[in-house]
PDB file of all heavy atoms in Angstrom:
ATOM      1  N   GLU A 752      -9.937   5.675   8.437  1.00 98.00           N
ATOM      2  CA  GLU A 752      -8.874   6.400   9.129  1.00 98.00           C
ATOM      3  C   GLU A 752      -8.379   7.649   8.373  1.00 98.00           C
ATOM      4  O   GLU A 752      -8.005   8.626   8.979  1.00 98.00           O
ATOM      5  CB  GLU A 752      -7.629   5.481   9.361  1.00 98.00           C
ATOM      6  CG  GLU A 752      -7.928   4.341  10.287  1.00 98.00           C
ATOM      7  CD  GLU A 752      -8.135   4.753  11.692  1.00 98.00           C
ATOM      8  OE1 GLU A 752      -7.615   5.821  12.066  1.00 98.00           O
ATOM      9  OE2 GLU A 752      -8.805   4.030  12.501  1.00 98.00           O
ATOM     10  N   LEU A 753      -8.322   7.552   7.064  1.00 97.00           N
ATOM     11  CA  LEU A 753      -7.891   8.692   6.297  1.00 97.00           C
ATOM     12  C   LEU A 753      -8.521   8.737   4.915  1.00 97.00           C
ATOM     13  O   LEU A 753      -8.916   7.715   4.357  1.00 97.00           O
ATOM     14  CB  LEU A 753      -6.327   8.807   6.248  1.00 97.00           C
ATOM     15  CG  LEU A 753      -5.496   7.760   5.614  1.00 97.00           C
ATOM     16  CD1 LEU A 753      -5.291   8.063   4.179  1.00 97.00           C
ATOM     17  CD2 LEU A 753      -4.143   7.792   6.274  1.00 97.00           C
ATOM     18  N   GLY A 754      -8.538   9.958   4.382  1.00 97.00           N
ATOM     19  CA  GLY A 754      -9.093  10.122   3.072  1.00 97.00           C
ATOM     20  C   GLY A 754      -8.313  11.217   2.268  1.00 97.00           C
ATOM     21  O   GLY A 754      -7.945  12.272   2.901  1.00 97.00           O
ATOM     22  N   VAL A 755      -8.084  10.939   1.012  1.00 96.00           N
ATOM     23  CA  VAL A 755      -7.379  11.962   0.150  1.00 96.00           C
ATOM     24  C   VAL A 755      -8.211  12.004  -1.157  1.00 96.00           C
ATOM     25  O   VAL A 755      -8.491  10.958  -1.770  1.00 96.00           O
ATOM     26  CB  VAL A 755      -5.943  11.501  -0.190  1.00 96.00           C
ATOM     27  CG1 VAL A 755      -5.324  12.423  -1.194  1.00 96.00           C
ATOM     28  CG2 VAL A 755      -5.124  11.445   1.105  1.00 96.00           C
ATOM     29  N   ILE A 756      -8.602  13.214  -1.499  1.00 96.00           N
ATOM     30  CA  ILE A 756      -9.387  13.369  -2.742  1.00 96.00           C
ATOM     31  C   ILE A 756      -8.685  14.497  -3.516  1.00 96.00           C
ATOM     32  O   ILE A 756      -8.486  15.614  -2.977  1.00 96.00           O
ATOM     33  CB  ILE A 756     -10.849  13.725  -2.452  1.00 96.00           C
ATOM     34  CG1 ILE A 756     -11.518  12.493  -1.822  1.00 96.00           C
ATOM     35  CG2 ILE A 756     -11.621  14.063  -3.788  1.00 96.00           C
ATOM     36  CD1 ILE A 756     -12.968  12.755  -1.322  1.00 96.00           C
ATOM     37  N   TYR A 757      -8.338  14.245  -4.691  1.00 94.00           N
ATOM     38  CA  TYR A 757      -7.640  15.242  -5.531  1.00 94.00           C
ATOM     39  C   TYR A 757      -8.457  15.582  -6.767  1.00 94.00           C
ATOM     40  O   TYR A 757      -8.838  14.710  -7.557  1.00 94.00           O
ATOM     41  CB  TYR A 757      -6.282  14.703  -6.015  1.00 94.00           C
ATOM     42  CG  TYR A 757      -5.433  15.732  -6.692  1.00 94.00           C
ATOM     43  CD1 TYR A 757      -4.784  16.730  -5.953  1.00 94.00           C
ATOM     44  CD2 TYR A 757      -5.292  15.780  -8.065  1.00 94.00           C
ATOM     45  CE1 TYR A 757      -4.048  17.692  -6.554  1.00 94.00           C
ATOM     46  CE2 TYR A 757      -4.566  16.775  -8.677  1.00 94.00           C
ATOM     47  CZ  TYR A 757      -3.928  17.750  -7.916  1.00 94.00           C
ATOM     48  OH  TYR A 757      -3.201  18.679  -8.535  1.00 94.00           O
ATOM     49  N   HIS A 758      -8.810  16.864  -6.851  1.00 93.00           N
ATOM     50  CA  HIS A 758      -9.564  17.354  -8.058  1.00 93.00           C
ATOM     51  C   HIS A 758      -8.500  17.535  -9.130  1.00 93.00           C
ATOM     52  O   HIS A 758      -7.735  18.535  -9.107  1.00 93.00           O
ATOM     53  CB  HIS A 758     -10.196  18.703  -7.658  1.00 93.00           C
ATOM     54  CG  HIS A 758     -11.145  19.256  -8.658  1.00 93.00           C
ATOM     55  ND1 HIS A 758     -10.868  19.201 -10.026  1.00 93.00           N
ATOM     56  CD2 HIS A 758     -12.298  19.932  -8.533  1.00 93.00           C
ATOM     57  CE1 HIS A 758     -11.839  19.837 -10.676  1.00 93.00           C
ATOM     58  NE2 HIS A 758     -12.771  20.220  -9.789  1.00 93.00           N
ATOM     59  N   CYS A 759      -8.483  16.591 -10.071  1.00 89.00           N
ATOM     60  CA  CYS A 759      -7.372  16.495 -10.973  1.00 89.00           C
ATOM     61  C   CYS A 759      -7.258  17.744 -11.889  1.00 89.00           C
ATOM     62  O   CYS A 759      -6.157  18.022 -12.373  1.00 89.00           O
ATOM     63  CB  CYS A 759      -7.589  15.336 -11.936  1.00 89.00           C
ATOM     64  SG  CYS A 759      -7.576  13.775 -11.049  1.00 89.00           S
ATOM     65  N   LEU A 760      -8.317  18.435 -12.121  1.00 87.00           N
ATOM     66  CA  LEU A 760      -8.284  19.537 -13.088  1.00 87.00           C
ATOM     67  C   LEU A 760      -8.196  20.908 -12.494  1.00 87.00           C
ATOM     68  O   LEU A 760      -7.916  21.824 -13.194  1.00 87.00           O
ATOM     69  CB  LEU A 760      -9.506  19.404 -14.059  1.00 87.00           C
ATOM     70  CG  LEU A 760      -9.552  18.032 -14.745  1.00 87.00           C
ATOM     71  CD1 LEU A 760     -10.845  17.833 -15.442  1.00 87.00           C
ATOM     72  CD2 LEU A 760      -8.360  17.764 -15.671  1.00 87.00           C
ATOM     73  N   ASP A 761      -8.396  21.022 -11.168  1.00 87.00           N
ATOM     74  CA  ASP A 761      -8.197  22.369 -10.612  1.00 87.00           C
ATOM     75  C   ASP A 761      -7.143  22.347  -9.437  1.00 87.00           C
ATOM     76  O   ASP A 761      -6.864  23.383  -8.848  1.00 87.00           O
ATOM     77  CB  ASP A 761      -9.464  23.087 -10.222  1.00 87.00           C
ATOM     78  CG  ASP A 761      -9.957  22.723  -8.800  1.00 87.00           C
ATOM     79  OD1 ASP A 761      -9.387  21.839  -8.154  1.00 87.00           O
ATOM     80  OD2 ASP A 761     -10.927  23.381  -8.366  1.00 87.00           O
ATOM     81  N   GLY A 762      -6.640  21.183  -9.136  1.00 87.00           N
ATOM     82  CA  GLY A 762      -5.513  21.151  -8.185  1.00 87.00           C
ATOM     83  C   GLY A 762      -5.945  21.205  -6.706  1.00 87.00           C
ATOM     84  O   GLY A 762      -5.116  21.269  -5.858  1.00 87.00           O
ATOM     85  N   ALA A 763      -7.248  21.155  -6.407  1.00 93.00           N
ATOM     86  CA  ALA A 763      -7.643  21.138  -4.990  1.00 93.00           C
ATOM     87  C   ALA A 763      -7.369  19.785  -4.409  1.00 93.00           C
ATOM     88  O   ALA A 763      -7.864  18.754  -4.933  1.00 93.00           O
ATOM     89  CB  ALA A 763      -9.105  21.541  -4.889  1.00 93.00           C
ATOM     90  N   LEU A 764      -6.615  19.763  -3.340  1.00 95.00           N
ATOM     91  CA  LEU A 764      -6.284  18.513  -2.625  1.00 95.00           C
ATOM     92  C   LEU A 764      -6.961  18.483  -1.310  1.00 95.00           C
ATOM     93  O   LEU A 764      -6.668  19.285  -0.431  1.00 95.00           O
ATOM     94  CB  LEU A 764      -4.760  18.372  -2.478  1.00 95.00           C
ATOM     95  CG  LEU A 764      -4.358  17.114  -1.675  1.00 95.00           C
ATOM     96  CD1 LEU A 764      -4.400  15.907  -2.524  1.00 95.00           C
ATOM     97  CD2 LEU A 764      -2.927  17.333  -1.145  1.00 95.00           C
ATOM     98  N   TYR A 765      -7.942  17.607  -1.146  1.00 96.00           N
ATOM     99  CA  TYR A 765      -8.647  17.481   0.151  1.00 96.00           C
ATOM    100  C   TYR A 765      -8.063  16.315   0.916  1.00 96.00           C
ATOM    101  O   TYR A 765      -7.877  15.193   0.365  1.00 96.00           O
ATOM    102  CB  TYR A 765     -10.131  17.219  -0.150  1.00 96.00           C
ATOM    103  CG  TYR A 765     -10.827  18.320  -0.898  1.00 96.00           C
ATOM    104  CD1 TYR A 765     -10.835  18.356  -2.291  1.00 96.00           C
ATOM    105  CD2 TYR A 765     -11.479  19.331  -0.186  1.00 96.00           C
ATOM    106  CE1 TYR A 765     -11.439  19.335  -2.957  1.00 96.00           C
ATOM    107  CE2 TYR A 765     -12.104  20.363  -0.866  1.00 96.00           C
ATOM    108  CZ  TYR A 765     -12.114  20.372  -2.268  1.00 96.00           C
ATOM    109  OH  TYR A 765     -12.764  21.393  -2.951  1.00 96.00           O
ATOM    110  N   THR A 766      -7.752  16.545   2.188  1.00 97.00           N
ATOM    111  CA  THR A 766      -7.211  15.452   2.988  1.00 97.00           C
ATOM    112  C   THR A 766      -7.943  15.406   4.332  1.00 97.00           C
ATOM    113  O   THR A 766      -8.333  16.520   4.852  1.00 97.00           O
ATOM    114  CB  THR A 766      -5.694  15.599   3.306  1.00 97.00           C
ATOM    115  OG1 THR A 766      -5.480  16.872   3.916  1.00 97.00           O
ATOM    116  CG2 THR A 766      -4.888  15.536   1.987  1.00 97.00           C
ATOM    117  N   GLY A 767      -8.010  14.252   4.936  1.00 97.00           N
ATOM    118  CA  GLY A 767      -8.573  14.148   6.254  1.00 97.00           C
ATOM    119  C   GLY A 767      -7.940  12.917   6.959  1.00 97.00           C
ATOM    120  O   GLY A 767      -7.699  11.899   6.278  1.00 97.00           O
ATOM    121  N   ARG A 768      -7.597  13.110   8.230  1.00 97.00           N
ATOM    122  CA  ARG A 768      -7.118  12.007   8.986  1.00 97.00           C
ATOM    123  C   ARG A 768      -7.841  12.003  10.353  1.00 97.00           C
ATOM    124  O   ARG A 768      -7.970  13.044  10.990  1.00 97.00           O
ATOM    125  CB  ARG A 768      -5.613  12.163   9.220  1.00 97.00           C
ATOM    126  CG  ARG A 768      -5.003  10.965   9.907  1.00 97.00           C
ATOM    127  CD  ARG A 768      -3.454  11.169   9.982  1.00 97.00           C
ATOM    128  NE  ARG A 768      -2.947  10.385  11.109  1.00 97.00           N
ATOM    129  CZ  ARG A 768      -1.873  10.730  11.763  1.00 97.00           C
ATOM    130  NH1 ARG A 768      -1.179  11.781  11.473  1.00 97.00           N
ATOM    131  NH2 ARG A 768      -1.476   9.981  12.774  1.00 97.00           N
ATOM    132  N   LYS A 769      -8.350  10.853  10.703  1.00 98.00           N
ATOM    133  CA  LYS A 769      -9.148  10.733  11.945  1.00 98.00           C
ATOM    134  C   LYS A 769      -8.408  11.337  13.132  1.00 98.00           C
ATOM    135  O   LYS A 769      -7.294  10.993  13.393  1.00 98.00           O
ATOM    136  CB  LYS A 769      -9.438   9.224  12.192  1.00 98.00           C
ATOM    137  CG  LYS A 769     -10.587   9.026  13.123  1.00 98.00           C
ATOM    138  CD  LYS A 769     -10.850   7.551  13.174  1.00 98.00           C
ATOM    139  CE  LYS A 769     -11.752   7.191  14.318  1.00 98.00           C
ATOM    140  NZ  LYS A 769     -11.798   5.745  14.485  1.00 98.00           N
ATOM    141  N   GLY A 770      -9.071  12.277  13.732  1.00 98.00           N
ATOM    142  CA  GLY A 770      -8.462  12.933  14.940  1.00 98.00           C
ATOM    143  C   GLY A 770      -7.526  14.072  14.657  1.00 98.00           C
ATOM    144  O   GLY A 770      -6.995  14.676  15.529  1.00 98.00           O
ATOM    145  N   HIS A 771      -7.262  14.329  13.356  1.00 97.00           N
ATOM    146  CA  HIS A 771      -6.251  15.340  13.007  1.00 97.00           C
ATOM    147  C   HIS A 771      -6.806  16.382  12.057  1.00 97.00           C
ATOM    148  O   HIS A 771      -6.022  17.151  11.494  1.00 97.00           O
ATOM    149  CB  HIS A 771      -5.055  14.655  12.373  1.00 97.00           C
ATOM    150  CG  HIS A 771      -4.235  13.848  13.326  1.00 97.00           C
ATOM    151  ND1 HIS A 771      -4.661  12.544  13.712  1.00 97.00           N
ATOM    152  CD2 HIS A 771      -3.169  14.095  14.064  1.00 97.00           C
ATOM    153  CE1 HIS A 771      -3.809  12.054  14.604  1.00 97.00           C
ATOM    154  NE2 HIS A 771      -2.887  13.004  14.809  1.00 97.00           N
ATOM    155  N   GLY A 772      -8.066  16.447  11.834  1.00 98.00           N
ATOM    156  CA  GLY A 772      -8.602  17.525  11.001  1.00 98.00           C
ATOM    157  C   GLY A 772      -8.703  17.219   9.471  1.00 98.00           C
ATOM    158  O   GLY A 772      -8.151  16.212   9.031  1.00 98.00           O
ATOM    159  N   ALA A 773      -9.296  18.129   8.775  1.00 98.00           N
ATOM    160  CA  ALA A 773      -9.459  17.981   7.327  1.00 98.00           C
ATOM    161  C   ALA A 773      -9.007  19.310   6.706  1.00 98.00           C
ATOM    162  O   ALA A 773      -9.195  20.424   7.216  1.00 98.00           O
ATOM    163  CB  ALA A 773     -10.930  17.721   6.919  1.00 98.00           C
ATOM    164  N   PHE A 774      -8.387  19.179   5.545  1.00 97.00           N
ATOM    165  CA  PHE A 774      -7.775  20.328   4.904  1.00 97.00           C
ATOM    166  C   PHE A 774      -7.999  20.356   3.380  1.00 97.00           C
ATOM    167  O   PHE A 774      -8.124  19.275   2.818  1.00 97.00           O
ATOM    168  CB  PHE A 774      -6.255  20.342   5.163  1.00 97.00           C
ATOM    169  CG  PHE A 774      -5.886  20.378   6.626  1.00 97.00           C
ATOM    170  CD1 PHE A 774      -5.870  19.204   7.393  1.00 97.00           C
ATOM    171  CD2 PHE A 774      -5.687  21.600   7.266  1.00 97.00           C
ATOM    172  CE1 PHE A 774      -5.614  19.246   8.782  1.00 97.00           C
ATOM    173  CE2 PHE A 774      -5.409  21.646   8.669  1.00 97.00           C
ATOM    174  CZ  PHE A 774      -5.373  20.455   9.403  1.00 97.00           C
ATOM    175  N   CYS A 775      -7.993  21.575   2.815  1.00 97.00           N
ATOM    176  CA  CYS A 775      -7.938  21.648   1.314  1.00 97.00           C
ATOM    177  C   CYS A 775      -6.706  22.501   1.037  1.00 97.00           C
ATOM    178  O   CYS A 775      -6.631  23.692   1.433  1.00 97.00           O
ATOM    179  CB  CYS A 775      -9.213  22.312   0.767  1.00 97.00           C
ATOM    180  SG  CYS A 775      -9.118  22.437  -1.037  1.00 97.00           S
ATOM    181  N   ASN A 776      -5.736  21.903   0.372  1.00 94.00           N
ATOM    182  CA  ASN A 776      -4.477  22.574   0.079  1.00 94.00           C
ATOM    183  C   ASN A 776      -3.887  23.229   1.332  1.00 94.00           C
ATOM    184  O   ASN A 776      -3.428  24.381   1.317  1.00 94.00           O
ATOM    185  CB  ASN A 776      -4.596  23.586  -1.059  1.00 94.00           C
ATOM    186  CG  ASN A 776      -4.906  22.889  -2.368  1.00 94.00           C
ATOM    187  OD1 ASN A 776      -4.671  21.663  -2.539  1.00 94.00           O
ATOM    188  ND2 ASN A 776      -5.377  23.607  -3.372  1.00 94.00           N
ATOM    189  N   GLY A 777      -3.970  22.545   2.432  1.00 93.00           N
ATOM    190  CA  GLY A 777      -3.371  23.004   3.675  1.00 93.00           C
ATOM    191  C   GLY A 777      -4.259  23.907   4.514  1.00 93.00           C
ATOM    192  O   GLY A 777      -3.952  24.220   5.692  1.00 93.00           O
ATOM    193  N   VAL A 778      -5.396  24.321   3.975  1.00 97.00           N
ATOM    194  CA  VAL A 778      -6.307  25.207   4.710  1.00 97.00           C
ATOM    195  C   VAL A 778      -7.343  24.349   5.423  1.00 97.00           C
ATOM    196  O   VAL A 778      -8.024  23.508   4.780  1.00 97.00           O
ATOM    197  CB  VAL A 778      -6.996  26.245   3.798  1.00 97.00           C
ATOM    198  CG1 VAL A 778      -7.966  27.102   4.611  1.00 97.00           C
ATOM    199  CG2 VAL A 778      -5.937  27.086   3.092  1.00 97.00           C
ATOM    200  N   ARG A 779      -7.516  24.567   6.762  1.00 98.00           N
ATOM    201  CA  ARG A 779      -8.478  23.756   7.481  1.00 98.00           C
ATOM    202  C   ARG A 779      -9.873  23.864   6.991  1.00 98.00           C
ATOM    203  O   ARG A 779     -10.373  24.983   6.674  1.00 98.00           O
ATOM    204  CB  ARG A 779      -8.376  24.152   8.957  1.00 98.00           C
ATOM    205  CG  ARG A 779      -9.149  23.171   9.854  1.00 98.00           C
ATOM    206  CD  ARG A 779      -8.446  22.941  11.168  1.00 98.00           C
ATOM    207  NE  ARG A 779      -8.959  21.702  11.732  1.00 98.00           N
ATOM    208  CZ  ARG A 779      -8.401  21.031  12.663  1.00 98.00           C
ATOM    209  NH1 ARG A 779      -7.220  21.346  13.082  1.00 98.00           N
ATOM    210  NH2 ARG A 779      -9.002  19.965  13.151  1.00 98.00           N
ATOM    211  N   LEU A 780     -10.573  22.766   6.914  1.00 98.00           N
ATOM    212  CA  LEU A 780     -11.962  22.782   6.397  1.00 98.00           C
ATOM    213  C   LEU A 780     -12.934  22.797   7.579  1.00 98.00           C
ATOM    214  O   LEU A 780     -12.687  22.179   8.620  1.00 98.00           O
ATOM    215  CB  LEU A 780     -12.245  21.535   5.538  1.00 98.00           C
ATOM    216  CG  LEU A 780     -11.453  21.440   4.237  1.00 98.00           C
ATOM    217  CD1 LEU A 780     -11.664  20.065   3.597  1.00 98.00           C
ATOM    218  CD2 LEU A 780     -11.880  22.537   3.291  1.00 98.00           C
TER     219      LEU A 780
END
Side-chain angles (χ1 to χ4, degrees):
E752 295 291 335
L753 62 89
V755 173
I756 295 174
Y757 188 75
H758 187 322
C759 298
L760 304 169
D761 86 354
L764 175 76
Y765 298 87
T766 58
R768 183 175 157 211
K769 198 173 166 189
H771 292 80
F774 300 85
C775 179
N776 292 344
V778 177
R779 189 143 196 159
L780 294 172

